[in-house]
Amino acid sequence: MALSTDQRVVLAGMAGAAGTALAVVWASGALGIPAPPEAPTAGDRLAFALRCDLFAALALFAGIAAVARYRFFENEIDGTLAPRAHRLDVHRAYIQNTLEQLALLLVAHLAFAASQPAERLRLLPVLVGLFLLGRAAFWLGYLHSAPARAFGFALTFYPTAVLLVYDALRIGSR
């Protein structure tokens, strides 16, 4: 089966994102990122996760602000009309996808924080950094072309998906 050019671009983006995520997570351990402050209780660990994830929510905020700014300055204030510009379509798709990704991230991070010792929580700021990098790459790539968003999508999705599966396996094995 021969792959189309778009499929090859998507496959390359997915592979690049997987490699980037693995390298960043490995490097973060190798660089000795310090553990978060003492978090002896589940409540402390959940609070730390939420403080980290606040930064992930800024990705959604940025998309909403971009749509508001675009609608105001391009006189597209009547939100009931179909958008006249590709840029607005991309901004709206970015918001929708970011909301979906953020919902998964929150569940994965909170489940992880609730079930792990404090020293393992050093992974959460790294994962939030990957999320933000992935969201930026998704948005910028999508403004270029639909296949160009693949790297950003995968960089956002893969770390969260791995953590969700890890969390589910840990809960299932108890």
Side-chain angles (χ1 to χ4, degrees):
M1 175 179 138
L3 297 177
S4 71
T5 300
D6 285 350
Q7 288 172 313
R8 287 192 299 275
V9 168
V10 168
L11 191 59
M14 292 166 53
T20 299
L22 288 171
V24 167
V25 169
W26 177 83
S28 69
L31 295 175
I33 290 178
E38 186 65 29
T41 69
D44 294 330
R45 294 188 308 274
L46 291 171
F48 176 79
L50 286 171
R51 285 193 303 274
C52 292
D53 292 345
L54 171 69
F55 293 95
L58 292 175
L60 182 60
F61 175 82
I64 293 167
V67 167
R69 183 177 53 251
Y70 183 88
R71 285 196 180 279
F72 182 80
F73 288 110
E74 297 300 323
N75 200 19
E76 293 256 5
I77 294 172
D78 185 357
T80 62
L81 300 176
R84 297 180 294 204
H86 170 72
R87 192 174 229 19
L88 184 55
D89 281 338
V90 169
H91 292 342
R92 290 169 53 184
Y94 168 84
I95 289 171
Q96 179 63 42
N97 187 260
T98 300
L99 183 58
E100 295 162 359
Q101 299 280 356
L102 187 59
L104 290 175
L105 174 133
L106 288 169
V107 171
H109 288 192
L110 291 174
F112 184 77
S115 66
Q116 297 296 310
E119 61 270 5
R120 290 196 182 153
L121 298 186
R122 73 182 73 205
L123 180 62
L124 293 181
V126 174
L127 295 178
V128 169
L130 286 170
F131 182 87
L132 291 171
L133 181 62
R135 291 291 76 204
F138 177 90
W139 203 354
L140 294 172
Y142 204 177
L143 286 168
H144 176 67
S145 72
R149 66 188 171 179
F151 175 83
F153 177 88
L155 191 59
T156 304
F157 181 71
Y158 290 164
T160 301
V162 168
L163 197 60
L164 276 171
V165 170
Y166 175 81
D167 291 339
L169 290 174
R170 281 190 47 84
I171 290 169
S173 67
R174 288 185 178 186

